[in-house]
Amino acid sequence: MADQIPLYPVRSAAAAAANRKRAAYYSAAGPGPGADRHGRYQLEDESAHLDEMPLMMSEEGFENEESDYHTLPRARIMQRKRGLEWFVCDGWKFLCTSCCDWLINICQRKKELKARTVWLGCPEKCEEKHPRNSIKNQKYNVFTFIPGVLYEQFKFFLNLYFLVISCSQFVPALKIGYLYTYWAPLGFVLAVTMTREAIDEFRRFQRDKEVNSQLYSKLTVRGKVQVKSSDIQVGDLIIVEKNQRIPSDMVFLRTSEKAGSCFIRTDQLDGETDWKLKVAVSCTQRLPALGEDSDPPVHESLSIENTLWASTIVASGTVIGVVIYTGKETRSVMNTSNPKNKVGLLDLELNRLTKALFLALVALSVVMVTLQGFVGPWYRNLFRFLLLFSYIIPISLRVNLDMGKAVYGWMMMKDENIPGTVVRTSTIPEELGRLVYLLTDKTGTLTQNEMVFKRLHLGTVSYGADTMDEIQSHVRDSYSQMQSQAGGNNTGSTPPRKAQSSAPKVRKSVSSRIHEAVKAIVLCHNVTPVYESRAGVTGETEFAEADQDFSDENRTYQASSPDEVALVQWTESVGLTLVSRDLTSMQLKTPSGQVLSFCILQLFPFTSESKRMGIIVRDESTAEITFYMKGADVAMSPVVQYNDWLEEECGNMAREGLRTLVVAKKALTEEQYQDFESRYTQAKLSMHDRSLKVAAVVESLEREMELLCLTGVEDQLQADVRPTLEMLRNAGIKIWMLTGDKLETATCIAKSSHLVSRTQDIHIFRQVTSRGEAHLELNAFRRKHDCALVISGDSLEVCLKYYEHEFVELACQCPAVVCCRCSPTQKAHIVTLLQQHTGRRTCAIGDGGNDVSMIQAADCGIGIEGKEGKQASLAADFSIRQFRHIGRLLMVHGRNSYKRSAALGQFVMHRGLIISTMQAVFSSVFYFASVPLYQGFLMVGYATIYTMFPVFSLVLDQDVKPEMAMLYPELYKDLTKGRSLSFKTFLIWVLISIYQGGILMYGALVLFESEFVHVVAISFTALILTELLMVALTVRTWHWLMVVAEFLSLGCYVSSLAFLNEYFGIGRVSFGAFLDVAFITTVAFLWKVSAITMVSCLPLYVLKYLRRKLSPPSYCKLAS
């Protein structure tokens, strides 16, 4: 079959046509080269002539009765503060970023999109350069890895500060202690980070290499050649086998399927699990054998059905296509955005606090030098004081937090209540406890994407799931009557009507109507039955040859919409079965086993504009021509004959959460059809306004159609979606549903999943195309209160173009928002808008390849492993198995991660502040000398073996039991306010540190005046005991490991007193101080150390007890 394609060069008008379509597609639905070139929201030329329309954004405007355009005040966006304050805070960063972006844009200027000439099988003849067909998801390369990782680390003030401090120790005049006391912690942090990044990068490299190394067959003049996916070029003729990934965007030339069409799976492109039908270009499909050079050039217009998109899978047969777009220019790549490095809000808050600590450090050092009187080389003393007090900002903060994050991730993955959870980004577990907006996909995330037929309404009678057997008996009776009369008069579907006199009229009337309705449903669709080959030799799905008897067990249905599959499966269950279909014919099997053949004369596929689909068929036994049509009620109401029940019943079914379709028919005479066909063919060949002319011809048929029935199909929701959404709403999280599905379906699911409660109104934002329409519609929406918003992607684009700030402000006030017909890029843009306009944390959850951009743009991305593959779960920060798992992930693990990290961060800072306070007191007593109180190993030991285990055991602490957190999701609201880590709590810890540091140092000096040489051992012992007691004070729920950590640290310290006696002197060997073991064991030493420790800790215990009694936090009230 592969050898039957002529390889002489052909100028492909197809490519130019595809290019035009492509440009139109991307300018409307997503950012392509054409769209980006003009700027995403640049005003159109015609809009420049519009007068500025003020948009009402305040309540006062409602009192005015005059025109909206003139009297209503326009909302003003707050201008950024400019000047010195702005420059010092964020201005320098903004200016640097702007310069970098400008340079990048200069270097990566996108080329203009224009028509291209493609030479079939001769890529070397292409005049312009095209990108390589390789997939690259890596963030770095060999040269940029180390600089890139170091930049990501040192852009944080904390790490940059410690780099400067560590480097200063190489200067002899500034050296305070041993080098390892500074470089060991910093080196450990960098080593851990670089190892983690290297592993992630290597995994990404392996995944890319696997995809890029896939082999494909390429047709050349020398025959078939094996070629790697990354080496495919524009113009190559590529053979793609069944179940193989399509490597690039191609025009579909030929298939092994006799029907001239094939199915492709697009789950990784648009998130839909249903197979799509693609049709080969007719002129190349018809080629008998190797063509001759003298063949005349062929001109044939192409449609979207003749294209094969990259990253989709061939589901039937073998296909040959010519490559049109490769690499960065393919649709799938253009619809995804580059991943960003995510930084948690807690990390940003701690970064701000470290800047405040740095200011305190500088101020303290300046005060010391000032009190010293600026004697001698004061600037050197200033720097030495900066180094002495550098423990105010502890390097162990970063180490502890990173280790804590790893522990939280491990706990999530080991949680038996949410099996299969995977933490892919270990740096942001605290984000799960700070979320305000949840943006979710619909298909496969909230729903299972499994349709079930629920209801059939005929106007006078309705059939539900429990009365389907009645329909089955009606269908069986009508076809048995037809068969009995067929021998005499062969009148097809008319006998049931002629036999009405032999039975009660109503009964026959219902039977006849059911028969017509079921027949219409089984004929009006785009479904193809597929029979798996039993032989399995060719690997192709040739049902005609593989299975002549059309066995039911071997049959599966494929269609672009799961609704249609559900309808055809239902007709099979009531006795009328679709057994075969190709591009020109369809066969049905009756309950008695008789096969009815129908010729497909015309097919009008469903479009988002028309909201309906139609088919014209000829019954081959009677030669009757019938036009069947089905669609949404809004589209069908105007074209069916007058009735008084359709609108009411559609509303009833929609309230039940069912997806409704109205089915109608119209009988045509041969003359009517011939007239229609000539006009339709002429319209299709038109070069200008083709789609409008074709639509006008089809609409001439859509008049006074006979209404047959109304169907209701339910999309099965995922398990426990309703209680999970209710829990998230009670937790104060606003939920937005972003879906590529149509408006009616999205609205149904929003109701059935209780995303929108039954008491809430829904405002459906009507289609707008201009600035004026958007302005009026936004004003209409402004008058609604407490109602959910449903808006389409096109209208959203227009609103964001002219009224971005106003629209986002209005939408954020809604209890729920549903955006339908969203492209993947639009989803990501909505996430970015919410982040920019609200400053709140966002979470995106999805399960398909079309959700990847949204997941990567959000502050926290969650992927679900589902039927749509693993692309979303691999790109996400957290991967779960089911939507309901998100409840426990946020309420329990999000809460614990944030609370624990906040406590851990502040305690580590307290640990640094208290020792710096003691150093300040010590220096001031010794005439402001810049001499260290504790030697190198004591400082390292203080931050590690003496206090690390108890402090780190705070990662096991919890304020609320998991069951309580799930039962009272309202507790989550407090977390979003960020009260666990704020300047207020930070200042409280600073005051505690100053109080305790002062008490410990002054207490040691006062009580031990006679044994002054032992002041180091005394104060250090009291310090360690105080830290251990403070951990006990901070803990809210004890864990056995916490107790072990407390006693282990105490044991380590006591045992080290005997071995490290040379470190317990003041200065290096000043006063000749060596530790006297006998002195430590005296009662005086023990009671005085105990007294100092009690004075430093007891008041805090009393204050904590009083606060718990007088002003307990909300979780304490629940626990009690």
Side-chain angles (χ1 to χ4, degrees):
M1 190 266 311
D3 301 325
Q4 296 174 359
I5 292 203
L7 295 178
Y8 56 85
V10 174
R11 176 185 166 88
S12 175
N19 232 322
R20 284 195 299 274
K21 285 183 176 296
R22 184 183 187 82
Y25 172 82
Y26 282 118
S27 60
D36 282 350
R37 190 172 71 246
H38 298 296
R40 189 176 176 105
Y41 294 116
Q42 198 174 10
L43 295 181
E44 296 170 359
D45 292 339
E46 61 268 20
S47 67
H49 303 298
L50 279 170
D51 293 324
E52 189 170 301
M53 300 180 186
L55 180 66
M56 168 185 63
M57 292 299 294
S58 61
E59 292 295 336
E60 303 90 55
F62 288 113
E63 295 166 13
N64 287 329
E65 294 296 322
E66 298 176 37
S67 167
D68 285 337
Y69 281 73
H70 304 294
T71 59
L72 301 174
R74 183 186 175 107
R76 299 289 174 193
I77 302 171
M78 283 194 303
Q79 297 296 318
R80 289 187 180 178
K81 294 178 207 167
R82 299 281 164 177
L84 186 62
E85 181 195 350
W86 172 80
F87 186 81
V88 169
C89 294
D90 288 312
W92 63 273
K93 193 188 295 182
F94 174 75
L95 292 174
C96 293
T97 310
S98 302
C99 293
C100 292
D101 289 344
W102 179 75
L103 286 170
I104 289 167
N105 287 334
I106 292 292
C107 299
Q108 297 182 340
R109 187 171 287 168
K110 291 183 179 172
K111 59 181 180 181
E112 247 180 67
L113 190 71
K114 56 185 179 183
R116 58 177 64 176
T117 302
V118 177
W119 296 80
L120 301 193
C122 302
E124 64 278 359
K125 291 193 177 183
C126 286
E127 295 172 3
E128 52 186 310
K129 294 268 184 184
H130 301 298
R132 282 190 75 226
N133 193 48
S134 59
I135 288 175
K136 187 174 183 294
N137 289 311
Q138 293 158 257
K139 287 196 278 188
Y140 310 105
N141 58 35
V142 178
F143 302 106
T144 60
F145 176 73
I146 291 177
V149 174
L150 290 177
Y151 167 74
E152 287 298 327
Q153 284 303 300
F154 291 123
K155 73 178 182 182
F156 282 109
F157 179 79
L158 182 70
N159 293 356
L160 183 63
Y161 165 78
F162 267 97
L163 179 68
V164 174
I165 293 292
S166 302
C167 290
S168 71
Q169 292 303 288
F170 290 115
V171 181
L174 301 177
K175 191 169 181 181
I176 293 253
Y178 299 105
L179 280 176
Y180 66 81
T181 61
Y182 292 93
W183 280 101
L186 186 64
F188 176 74
V189 171
L190 290 178
V192 168
T193 305
M194 293 186 100
T195 305
R196 189 176 61 206
E197 279 291 337
I199 291 169
D200 289 348
E201 196 68 2
F202 183 67
R203 284 177 182 160
R204 281 191 284 265
F205 168 73
Q206 282 186 314
R207 286 203 296 266
D208 291 349
K209 187 179 178 183
E210 185 183 339
V211 174
N212 291 329
S213 302
Q214 287 178 353
L215 292 175
Y216 292 88
S217 296
K218 180 170 89 168
L219 277 180
T220 66
V221 287
R222 297 183 301 280
K224 286 188 193 177
V225 180
Q226 290 290 307
V227 63
K228 284 184 181 178
S229 172
S230 56
D231 295 333
I232 288 173
Q233 297 175 287
V234 172
D236 280 345
L237 291 166
I238 302 296
I239 302 170
V240 188
E241 305 288 342
K242 182 183 175 183
N243 292 328
Q244 202 173 12
R245 185 184 74 90
I246 295 171
S248 57
D249 289 354
M250 307 196 295
V251 169
F252 183 12
L253 299 179
R254 192 174 180 83
T255 176
S256 60
E257 299 283 281
K258 291 180 179 177
S261 61
C262 80
F263 284 106
I264 62 168
R265 297 202 300 270
T266 61
D267 47 3
Q268 293 305 313
L269 184 65
D270 56 16
E272 296 181 10
T273 52
D274 315 294
W275 294 6
K276 306 290 188 296
L277 186 71
K278 293 293 179 178
V279 182
V281 177
S282 57
C283 62
T284 50
Q285 178 68 22
R286 286 197 305 265
L287 286 173
L290 193 64
E292 299 175 10
D293 290 347
S294 59
D295 283 353
V298 178
H299 295 279
E300 183 173 337
S301 64
L302 298 181
S303 72
I304 210 82
E305 291 178 335
N306 303 125
T307 53
L308 300 170
W309 303 115
S311 298
T312 58
I313 310 287
V314 175
S316 65
T318 303
V319 305
I320 300 178
V322 58
V323 176
I324 304 295
Y325 293 99
T326 53
K328 292 184 290 187
E329 293 181 344
T330 58
R331 179 183 176 185
S332 57
V333 174
M334 290 165 77
N335 255 332
T336 51
S337 51
N338 293 325
K340 62 174 183 177
N341 285 314
K342 297 185 181 181
V343 180
L345 184 59
L346 185 102
D347 292 326
L348 296 174
E349 288 169 344
L350 284 170
N351 203 38
R352 281 200 292 271
L353 293 181
T354 52
K355 289 176 184 174
L357 286 173
F358 177 71
L359 292 175
L361 165 66
V362 173
L364 184 60
S365 303
V366 169
V367 167
M368 285 294 178
V369 173
T370 306
L371 292 172
Q372 212 177 32
F374 291 101
V375 292
W378 63 268
Y379 49 86
R380 193 180 69 185
N381 289 339
L382 176 65
F383 208 93
R384 282 179 65 85
F385 274 122
L386 284 172
L387 293 169
L388 272 180
F389 300 137
S390 64
Y391 281 92
I392 284 182
I393 306 173
I395 185 66
S396 55
L397 177 63
R398 175 61 51 201
V399 180
N400 277 284
L401 285 175
D402 283 354
M403 288 167 59
K405 290 170 195 285
V407 170
Y408 309 145
W410 181 82
M411 287 176 173
M412 289 175 200
M413 291 193 276
K414 292 295 177 186
D415 191 341
E416 293 176 355
N417 294 295
I418 46 174
T421 301
V422 181
V423 178
R424 300 191 192 279
T425 305
S426 59
T427 55
I428 54 168
E430 301 90 358
E431 291 296 274
L432 293 170
R434 311 289 298 277
L435 302 175
V436 177
Y437 290 96
L438 177 71
L439 299 102
T440 173
D441 179 38
K442 178 187 73 68
T443 309
T445 304
L446 297 178
T447 69
Q448 298 177 23
N449 204 20
E450 290 179 4
M451 306 297 168
V452 180
F453 190 93
K454 286 287 186 183
R455 195 176 296 280
L456 179 75
H457 205 291
L458 300 173
T460 55
V461 61
S462 174
Y463 294 93
D466 52 344
T467 51
M468 291 301 173
D469 53 335
E470 289 185 34
I471 297 178
Q472 195 172 353
S473 63
H474 281 309
V475 172
R476 198 186 310 112
D477 292 348
S478 60
Y479 274 105
S480 60
Q481 283 184 10
M482 283 173 60
Q483 203 168 3
S484 63
Q485 296 180 13
N489 51 16
N490 191 24
T491 51
S493 62
T494 51
R497 295 193 191 115
K498 292 188 177 180
Q500 280 181 11
S501 57
S502 62
K505 187 176 180 184
V506 175
R507 179 80 178 171
K508 271 300 168 187
S509 172
V510 169
S511 180
S512 158
R513 284 160 63 194
I514 287 174
H515 167 249
E516 284 296 335
V518 173
K519 185 177 166 188
I521 291 169
V522 81
L523 285 172
C524 184
H525 54 70
N526 213 349
V527 180
T528 306
V530 176
Y531 297 86
E532 288 300 325
S533 173
R534 284 178 178 172
V537 178
T538 59
E540 296 176 6
T541 317
E542 301 275 357
F543 55 75
E545 295 166 8
D547 208 286
Q548 287 289 351
D549 62 351
F550 304 130
S551 70
D552 292 345
E553 311 83 52
N554 215 25
R555 183 192 312 113
T556 54
Y557 294 112
Q558 291 302 336
S560 58
S561 166
D563 300 57
E564 295 202 312
V565 175
L567 291 171
V568 174
Q569 283 174 339
W570 174 77
T571 62
E572 181 182 356
S573 71
V574 296
L576 196 54
T577 308
L578 174 69
V579 290
S580 165
R581 176 181 183 147
D582 56 31
L583 292 176
T584 57
S585 65
M586 209 184 306
Q587 279 79 42
L588 311 179
K589 188 166 71 177
T590 65
S592 60
Q594 180 189 2
V595 175
L596 306 175
S597 294
F598 292 85
C599 178
I600 300 173
L601 301 175
Q602 299 288 349
L603 182 68
F604 313 112
F606 180 92
T607 64
S608 53
E609 292 79 29
S610 67
K611 293 187 174 60
R612 54 185 180 262
M613 65 104 23
I615 190 170
I616 301 178
V617 295
R618 179 188 276 120
D619 188 337
E620 293 191 355
S621 59
T622 62
E624 285 183 355
I625 299 175
T626 314
F627 172 37
Y628 290 106
M629 194 164 71
K630 70 176 180 199
D633 55 316
V634 288
M636 296 293 288
S637 295
V639 300
V640 297
Q641 295 168 352
Y642 173 77
N643 62 84
D644 57 358
W645 58 271
L646 181 61
E647 188 178 345
E648 183 184 351
E649 290 304 325
C650 281
N652 291 340
M653 286 194 191
R655 277 187 285 278
E656 292 177 38
L658 301 180
R659 299 153 68 118
T660 56
L661 282 173
V662 180
V663 184
K665 76 162 193 174
K666 185 177 190 178
L668 301 177
T669 63
E670 188 67 37
E671 295 77 24
Q672 283 176 317
Y673 175 70
Q674 293 300 335
D675 173 54
F676 165 78
E677 187 182 32
S678 64
R679 289 185 292 122
Y680 188 65
T681 309
Q682 194 174 356
K684 281 204 293 185
L685 291 173
S686 173
M687 295 301 287
H688 303 289
D689 300 328
R690 183 189 304 167
S691 55
L692 287 174
K693 289 177 181 174
V694 167
V697 174
V698 175
E699 278 176 20
S700 67
L701 270 189
E702 299 169 349
R703 288 175 188 156
E704 289 297 306
M705 298 192 72
E706 181 188 343
L707 175 59
L708 296 177
C709 64
L710 175 66
T711 63
V713 175
E714 182 183 44
D715 189 355
Q716 300 280 71
L717 292 174
Q718 292 267 9
D720 294 333
V721 159
R722 291 186 183 116
T724 304
L725 287 176
E726 188 176 355
M727 179 196 293
L728 295 173
R729 259 206 312 272
N730 291 340
I733 297 173
K734 292 190 175 182
I735 304 161
W736 289 35
M737 185 168 85
L738 312 180
T739 175
D741 220 328
K742 53 184 186 284
L743 188 139
E744 293 79 13
T745 311
T747 311
C748 279
I749 295 300
K751 289 176 180 172
S752 62
S753 65
H754 294 180
L755 174 67
V756 178
S757 64
R758 292 182 181 277
T759 55
Q760 281 172 349
D761 290 332
I762 294 181
H763 178 82
I764 296 178
F765 205 92
R766 68 180 179 84
Q767 203 74 13
V768 295
T769 53
S770 66
R771 184 177 181 173
E773 289 177 0
H775 170 264
L776 291 172
E777 190 62 21
L778 279 169
N779 275 348
F781 175 48
R782 181 73 178 90
R783 294 186 173 92
K784 301 282 183 73
H785 291 284
D786 191 39
C787 74
L789 172 66
V790 179
I791 186 169
S792 69
D794 296 339
S795 301
L796 179 71
E797 198 82 5
V798 175
C799 290
L800 295 180
K801 188 175 186 178
Y802 301 114
Y803 297 111
E804 182 181 294
H805 177 75
E806 291 87 345
F807 175 80
V808 176
E809 186 179 319
L810 281 174
C812 288
Q813 294 168 8
C814 295
V817 177
V818 177
C819 298
C820 52
R821 291 292 178 202
C822 277
S823 67
T825 327
Q826 263 186 325
K827 289 182 179 183
H829 185 62
I830 292 167
V831 173
T832 313
L833 276 176
L834 281 176
Q835 290 167 337
Q836 291 172 348
H837 283 267
T838 65
R840 300 289 193 153
R841 306 318 270 176
T842 59
C843 173
I845 179 168
D847 69 322
N850 60 329
D851 303 316
V852 170
S853 296
M854 169 174 79
I855 285 169
Q856 290 177 338
D859 297 302
C860 173
I862 301 176
I864 296 179
E865 284 186 28
K867 294 179 180 177
E868 300 182 15
K870 290 190 174 183
Q871 194 172 350
S873 88
L874 288 172
D877 306 307
F878 304 91
S879 170
I880 57 178
R881 291 271 176 85
Q882 294 182 14
F883 182 79
R884 64 194 173 108
H885 291 168
I886 196 175
R888 187 173 178 87
L889 194 67
L890 302 190
M891 300 302 127
V892 177
H893 293 288
R895 176 184 192 85
N896 288 343
S897 299
Y898 170 57
K899 286 273 190 180
R900 289 164 176 172
S901 281
L904 183 63
Q906 290 178 123
F907 203 93
V908 171
M909 281 196 250
H910 156 74
R911 195 170 63 182
L913 279 164
I914 193 172
I915 205 164
S916 298
T917 305
M918 293 172 74
Q919 175 70 56
V921 172
F922 174 77
S923 291
S924 59
V925 168
F926 279 89
Y927 308 103
F928 309 106
S930 53
V931 177
L933 170 59
Y934 302 125
Q935 288 309 303
F937 188 83
L938 283 186
M939 294 303 291
V940 173
Y942 171 67
T944 53
I945 59 168
Y946 296 153
T947 60
M948 190 184 89
F949 299 116
V951 171
F952 189 68
S953 69
L954 289 171
V955 301
L956 300 170
D957 190 21
Q958 60 181 29
D959 58 346
V960 175
K961 288 182 179 176
E963 300 77 26
M964 197 69 76
M966 295 288 283
L967 190 61
Y968 297 102
E970 291 80 5
L971 291 171
Y972 190 89
K973 289 180 184 176
D974 285 343
L975 305 182
T976 58
K977 296 170 185 172
R979 289 175 177 167
S980 297
L981 178 67
S982 61
F983 272 105
K984 179 183 174 183
T985 58
F986 170 67
L987 286 171
I988 290 170
W989 275 105
V990 168
L991 293 173
I992 290 171
S993 304
I994 292 171
Y995 166 74
Q996 289 186 325
I999 290 292
L1000 290 173
M1001 202 64 226
Y1002 278 117
L1005 294 171
V1006 169
L1007 292 179
F1008 290 88
E1009 198 168 347
S1010 54
E1011 303 96 355
F1012 194 70
V1013 290
H1014 299 305
V1015 73
V1016 173
I1018 295 155
S1019 61
F1020 198 77
T1021 305
L1023 173 64
I1024 297 297
L1025 289 173
T1026 298
E1027 283 300 293
L1028 296 181
L1029 286 171
M1030 283 302 291
V1031 170
L1033 176 70
T1034 308
V1035 168
R1036 286 163 292 213
T1037 308
W1038 282 91
H1039 189 281
W1040 65 270
L1041 281 172
M1042 293 177 174
V1043 181
V1044 170
E1046 291 268 336
F1047 285 106
L1048 180 67
S1049 294
L1050 189 60
C1052 285
Y1053 176 69
V1054 171
S1055 59
S1056 70
L1057 286 174
F1059 303 110
L1060 301 172
N1061 53 3
E1062 70 272 18
Y1063 284 106
F1064 286 95
I1066 301 173
R1068 289 265 157 71
V1069 229
S1070 35
F1071 302 105
F1074 290 96
L1075 187 69
D1076 184 359
V1077 178
F1079 164 71
I1080 288 178
T1081 54
T1082 59
V1083 177
F1085 172 83
L1086 292 174
W1087 83 256
K1088 288 179 179 179
V1089 166
S1090 301
I1092 294 171
T1093 309
M1094 289 298 285
V1095 172
S1096 71
C1097 292
L1098 191 61
L1100 298 174
Y1101 270 85
V1102 173
L1103 286 171
K1104 181 183 177 181
Y1105 176 78
L1106 291 173
R1107 189 181 173 203
R1108 276 288 179 94
K1109 284 292 179 188
L1110 300 175
S1111 176
S1114 52
Y1115 58 83
C1116 286
K1117 297 172 188 174
L1118 292 174
S1120 60

